[in-house]
Amino acid sequence: MSDQDSPLYIQSNADSSVPDEVIKRAAWLRVEIDKANTLYYVENSPELDDAEWDARMQELLSLEATYPELKTSDSPTQRIGSAPASGFEEVMHRLPMLSLGNVFDEAGLRDWHRRTLAFLEIDHAPMVCELKIDGLAIAITYNNGVLEQAATRGDGLRGEDVTANVRTIRSVPLKLRDDAPSELELRGEVFLPKSKFASLNRERERSGLPAYVNPRNSASGSLRQLDSTETAKRPLDMYFYSLGYIDNTVEPASHSEALSAIKEWGGHVNEWTRNAETIEEVMAAIANASLVRDTLDYDIDGVVIKINSLTLQKRLGYVGRDPRWAVAFKFPAERAETTLKAIHVNVGRTGALTPWAELEPVMVGGVTVGRATLHNKDEIVRKDLREGDRVIVQRAGDVIPQIVSIASKNKRNKQSLPFQFPATCPSCNTRTIQTEDEAITKCLNTACMAQFERLLEHFASRSAMDIEGLGERVAQDLPRLGFVSNIADVYRLHNRRDDLIKVDKMGATRVDNLLQAIETSRSQSLPRLLFALGISGVGSESAEWISQRFGNLTAIQKATEEELLAIEGIGPTIASTLCEYFALEENQKLVEDLIELGINPSDQTPTLLEDHPVNGRLFVITGKLEKMSRAEAQNQIKEMGGKVTSSVSKKTNYVVKGTDPGSKLNKAQQIGIHIINEEQLRALIIEGVVPID
Ligand code: IVH
């Protein structure tokens, strides 16, 4: 570049604040830097040397500093992060971000494969195997090719807006190549390369910060920095593994085609993929993946197997939060030996007494483990665990560490005695009971302080009402000092400001912040409130489905078991627990109090199944359907609130007639049941068109 070409020599143009030449130069720099970044971070074949890259970046930065109008959100300079945010905004995913069902061996895999083919009533479906990257899932929306928003998975339906942070990841294109669809969402996994993990931790320790336990935690810690300039310092990377929402300008037929397209548009796609026709081929791919595992610069915890055809994927749909069309084959868990120092018992928010093990800290698969879950009383007896024993600890992915067995009975101290499970609640001393089916020891005292403290902590937790300042300690203090004795009291605390300030370690600022956070939590959504109530088995996802169906707290309270069961993903246990919960007078009073205190969110989009002509109707299918399998038809009918039974009776509303119908058709004709064909069934389900006799 000659001196004359340098932007510093360009005179300002009187008509426009930014001279044309500067605009052109900035555009050229952006293209060059982007090109160099793609070659370096995505294609792994750098062409520009570091000094040249730096010079171009510096020039672009100074141009943008002189002419701020020049800045665009897709400029490579935007990767350096921006001013700290005060929190992350919530993002509603356009399509839910699903999770994956796990299998741990060949038998489990074969089972999944058999079920999948049976669902579709076919006997073959090509598959694709991919590495299961152990990082965190991110969805990125591109608008006209420009990165617009990036969100975490969150609970699958709503995530956190981490756009500023994701922009700093070098391998994430800020702008896709021109042929990308104008509305596009890409999904993938953000991770921290193993090689960068150790140096990051050394740096943290030098600055007096706690070390991260593994690359996955460091990736998620790095992405959740409120100050994205901090994220920019972390060498994060990302692999895309699927399309999310996409406009209809391109329609890839298969997952492999989708991956190639993402690559074409400039996305970083993992190289290691294997096509497989049979389970033998899948097993061979898994064997290969575990062989190369140690040579990779990122952690993987298994292989993901996906049905390749996107049409079949769509037909398979999902059950709960797992797609039927994919499964994760998890690598065996990592194990280590250590000493079981002591067994403790916790009282949970539903009264369950859960034992846990305090361990001599030990490294298991790169993570220091100091605690393990012991599930219940029976498990301690079955494994004959005693304090002081040498034990084998196991950790698999995200799962809480577990004790597999005693390492060796010979090493046991001769004086050790079997563990005596407390016969009374460690918190309130009430005699406990043992549930017959679940082998859970419970404290049934609804006034038990420990239970209420846990409930309060859960109520205020981040994924529930998100009340900052109401953590473990405050959740203990407030009930113990008599400030709250039920959940509704939280919203009465503002009347006690002066008393609260007098509490040890609280002080005016803390109290005001807490009261403010409580005030803010009033506008939390219905699913969050329902989840926050801490009803056994009601997680944030089931809370979401229930809220969508009923729309407000009063309607949920009145829901019958049948109505709840008709919701896809809600099983008999949740349905009956929910009904039992709302049948209790004290819980009815709680709902009443909350509503009176103004905590009465409503879901804007309840699915008015009542109005759908499938809701509450009984169907019988006879013969073979052409466009969908029976399982699919059954699933779709169920989603709309209907039910499929196997025999025709007077109660049957519709008999669906396929090819080669059986005797059910005759019976339907005899008793005069409405007979419809597959086309009419589809119209009924999808468009709500009621067939005419
Ligand atoms: S497919 C519905 N492919 O694993 C399909 N996921 O345990 C879900 N993951 O939340 C995504 N590597 O964050 C898919 N090649 C891969 C993956 C992958 C890692 C993560 C993903 C997901 C989690 C489920």
Side-chain angles (χ1 to χ4, degrees):
M1 182 174 76
S2 75
D3 275 358
Q4 269 63 38
D5 293 337
S6 158
L8 298 173
Y9 286 81
I10 294 168
Q11 293 299 305
S12 191
N13 179 329
D15 295 327
S16 140
S17 55
V18 189
D20 274 355
E21 293 82 346
V22 174
I23 297 176
K24 277 196 201 129
R25 179 77 188 163
W28 181 82
L29 285 167
R30 272 180 206 140
V31 170
E32 287 301 303
I33 298 171
D34 274 341
K35 225 191 300 171
N37 280 355
T38 311
L39 284 169
Y40 187 93
Y41 294 107
V42 179
E43 281 157 30
N44 233 339
S45 58
E47 275 179 8
L48 208 61
D49 74 41
D50 289 2
E52 275 173 298
W53 187 91
D54 272 346
R56 290 192 182 159
M57 191 62 155
Q58 284 311 322
E59 186 185 342
L60 184 58
L61 277 167
S62 75
L63 281 183
E64 290 181 351
T66 320
Y67 304 102
E69 310 90 298
L70 267 182
K71 269 191 207 161
T72 58
S73 68
D74 61 345
S75 172
T77 56
Q78 297 309 298
R79 295 193 193 274
I80 55 173
S82 52
S86 55
F88 296 105
E89 294 281 317
E90 203 173 73
V91 174
M92 182 88 187
H93 296 300
R94 251 175 121 155
L95 299 173
M97 280 186 88
L98 305 175
S99 170
L100 284 172
N102 294 324
V103 294
F104 301 91
D105 51 24
E106 185 173 339
L109 183 66
R110 285 191 183 277
D111 210 38
W112 166 78
H113 191 232
R114 191 187 42 71
R115 272 186 280 119
T116 308
L117 295 181
F119 186 91
L120 296 167
E121 290 172 1
I122 55 175
D123 48 29
H124 179 72
M127 293 167 275
V128 178
C129 307
E130 285 168 13
L131 298 179
K132 187 167 185 302
I133 319 271
D134 198 10
L136 78 157
I138 293 290
I140 307 184
T141 316
Y142 287 91
N143 199 344
N144 289 321
V146 178
L147 188 155
E148 187 177 62
Q149 187 177 60
T152 60
R153 177 174 181 277
D155 63 6
L157 297 160
R158 296 187 169 93
E160 286 178 319
D161 185 334
V162 287
T163 314
N165 305 47
V166 168
R167 277 215 176 100
T168 69
I169 304 174
R170 303 297 191 272
S171 54
V172 172
L174 297 180
K175 188 168 178 9
L176 296 173
R177 294 197 191 132
D178 289 345
D179 50 349
S182 48
E183 269 192 277
L184 173 68
E185 182 195 334
L186 299 181
R187 293 178 174 182
E189 199 84 352
V190 167
F191 61 96
L192 189 95
K194 286 196 236 169
S195 58
K196 312 279 168 56
F197 174 65
S199 55
L200 173 66
N201 261 351
R202 270 199 302 277
E203 220 169 275
R204 281 178 73 81
E205 276 166 0
R206 236 180 281 134
S207 345
L209 293 166
Y212 284 120
V213 285
N214 57 23
R216 178 205 163 91
N217 285 11
S218 67
S220 110
S222 303
L223 254 202
R224 302 199 72 268
Q225 296 287 330
L226 288 173
D227 180 352
S228 55
T229 61
E230 203 41 57
T231 313
K233 292 181 202 153
R234 315 281 175 89
L236 292 172
D237 202 340
M238 176 166 189
Y239 279 126
F240 290 107
Y241 54 60
S242 76
L243 297 171
Y245 176 82
I246 179 168
D247 64 23
N248 52 14
T249 52
V250 281
E251 281 180 41
S254 65
H255 179 67
S256 325
E257 274 179 35
L259 290 184
S260 310
I262 298 174
K263 219 171 27 245
E264 284 292 306
W265 299 328
H268 199 198
V269 174
N270 193 283
E271 298 282 304
W272 190 103
T273 56
R274 298 280 187 279
N275 290 317
E277 299 288 325
T278 62
I279 288 302
E280 286 71 29
E281 286 175 13
V282 173
M283 286 310 292
I286 293 169
N288 178 270
S290 49
L291 212 65
V292 298
R293 188 180 185 184
D294 286 340
T295 66
L296 304 170
D297 194 20
Y298 42 87
D299 277 333
I300 59 170
D301 58 348
V303 170
V304 183
I305 300 106
K306 301 174 180 174
I307 298 291
N308 199 17
S309 151
L310 294 185
T311 318
L312 292 185
Q313 285 192 6
K314 209 160 175 188
R315 286 181 54 192
L316 283 160
Y318 50 94
V319 55
R321 53 184 206 160
D322 300 337
R324 288 194 184 86
W325 48 264
V327 75
F329 185 104
K330 295 296 262 309
F331 289 142
E334 316 234 20
R335 294 179 173 190
E337 188 183 317
T338 188
T339 303
L340 168 58
K341 284 170 67 179
I343 297 174
H344 304 274
V345 177
N346 263 352
V347 185
R349 63 168 200 265
T350 55
L353 264 57
T354 27
W356 60 275
E358 183 188 340
L359 305 167
E360 187 67 50
V362 62
M363 284 290 277
V364 192
V367 176
T368 310
V369 171
R371 283 171 168 229
T373 169
L374 291 172
H375 299 293
N376 54 41
K377 180 174 164 181
D378 286 354
E379 175 158 314
I380 305 178
V381 178
R382 191 160 37 83
K383 293 184 177 160
D384 185 23
L385 299 175
R386 299 183 186 185
E387 293 182 334
D389 279 349
R390 289 293 286 171
V391 291
I392 307 288
V393 191
Q394 162 176 302
R395 193 188 66 91
D398 267 353
V399 187
I400 306 168
Q402 292 174 316
I403 293 184
V404 186
S405 63
I406 295 173
S408 148
K409 274 207 176 148
N410 302 335
K411 293 186 193 163
R412 174 176 277 171
N413 178 345
K414 301 274 175 307
Q415 267 89 56
S416 81
L417 293 169
F419 178 72
Q420 287 301 316
F421 205 85
T424 59
C425 171
S427 166
C428 66
N429 245 342
T430 309
R431 276 200 81 76
T432 54
I433 61 116
Q434 182 112 13
T435 54
E436 266 172 44
D437 49 341
E438 297 167 291
I440 291 173
T441 312
K442 272 194 146 182
C443 161
L444 290 186
N445 176 12
T446 47
C448 169
M449 197 63 122
Q451 285 181 47
F452 181 59
E453 289 166 11
R454 291 285 126 67
L455 173 64
L456 196 56
E457 193 184 334
H458 164 81
F459 183 81
S461 65
R462 208 199 316 216
S463 43
M465 298 302 269
D466 195 14
I467 305 175
E468 213 180 312
L470 214 174
E472 190 177 344
R473 200 181 57 84
V474 179
Q476 281 175 2
D477 287 350
L478 292 178
R480 289 182 196 181
L481 299 169
F483 285 101
V484 289
S485 54
N486 63 56
I487 291 294
D489 282 347
V490 171
Y491 295 98
R492 298 187 178 106
L493 276 174
H494 58 274
N495 300 324
R496 312 277 308 267
R497 180 179 179 270
D498 295 341
D499 299 329
L500 279 167
I501 291 174
K502 289 180 203 132
V503 174
D504 184 30
K505 296 205 189 96
M506 283 295 268
T509 320
R510 278 199 178 195
V511 169
D512 287 338
N513 287 344
L514 174 63
L515 293 177
Q516 183 52 51
I518 292 173
E519 207 46 39
T520 311
S521 79
R522 286 171 165 278
S523 53
Q524 288 295 7
S525 63
L526 179 62
R528 274 178 177 261
L529 176 62
L530 179 59
F531 171 61
L533 293 178
I535 305 164
S536 168
V538 180
S540 41
E541 277 166 336
S542 32
E544 187 88 38
W545 300 323
I546 297 167
S547 304
Q548 266 181 21
R549 166 73 176 80
F550 294 103
N552 62 57
L553 210 49
T554 318
I556 297 174
Q557 190 181 10
K558 289 191 195 136
T560 64
E561 237 172 287
E562 289 73 40
E563 284 173 326
L564 289 162
L565 275 172
I567 303 173
E568 175 76 10
I570 302 294
T573 320
I574 299 186
S576 74
T577 325
L578 211 81
C579 288
E580 278 166 24
Y581 178 91
F582 286 116
L584 285 182
E585 212 172 300
E586 65 208 65
N587 295 330
Q588 289 169 7
K589 171 91 173 70
L590 171 63
V591 171
E592 230 171 75
D593 283 1
L594 284 171
I595 293 174
E596 207 179 293
L597 285 158
I599 322 294
N600 189 16
S602 62
D603 194 307
Q604 298 307 308
T605 55
T607 338
L608 289 174
L609 278 184
E610 284 90 357
D611 299 340
H612 198 281
V614 168
N615 185 37
R617 304 296 193 284
L618 283 182
F619 291 75
V620 171
I621 303 172
T622 175
K624 191 169 162 33
L625 303 179
E626 295 298 322
K627 297 218 174 83
M628 51 182 157
S629 70
R630 255 165 203 252
E632 266 178 284
Q634 189 160 345
N635 202 40
Q636 292 185 13
I637 290 170
K638 199 174 149 213
E639 270 176 21
M640 290 301 163
K643 208 169 168 184
V644 178
T645 57
S646 55
S647 58
V648 180
S649 77
K650 282 200 185 117
K651 286 195 196 143
T652 310
N653 297 93
Y654 296 105
V655 167
V656 185
K657 178 182 129 193
T659 43
D660 298 328
S663 63
K664 292 173 196 166
L665 185 66
N666 298 338
K667 180 149 187 214
Q669 282 162 341
Q670 274 167 24
I671 52 177
I673 308 292
H674 193 158
I675 298 162
I676 60 174
N677 61 27
E678 184 175 350
E679 221 27 67
Q680 287 172 309
L681 174 68
R682 287 167 70 89
L684 178 65
I685 297 172
I686 301 164
E687 294 151 45
V689 177
V690 181
I692 304 166
D693 278 301

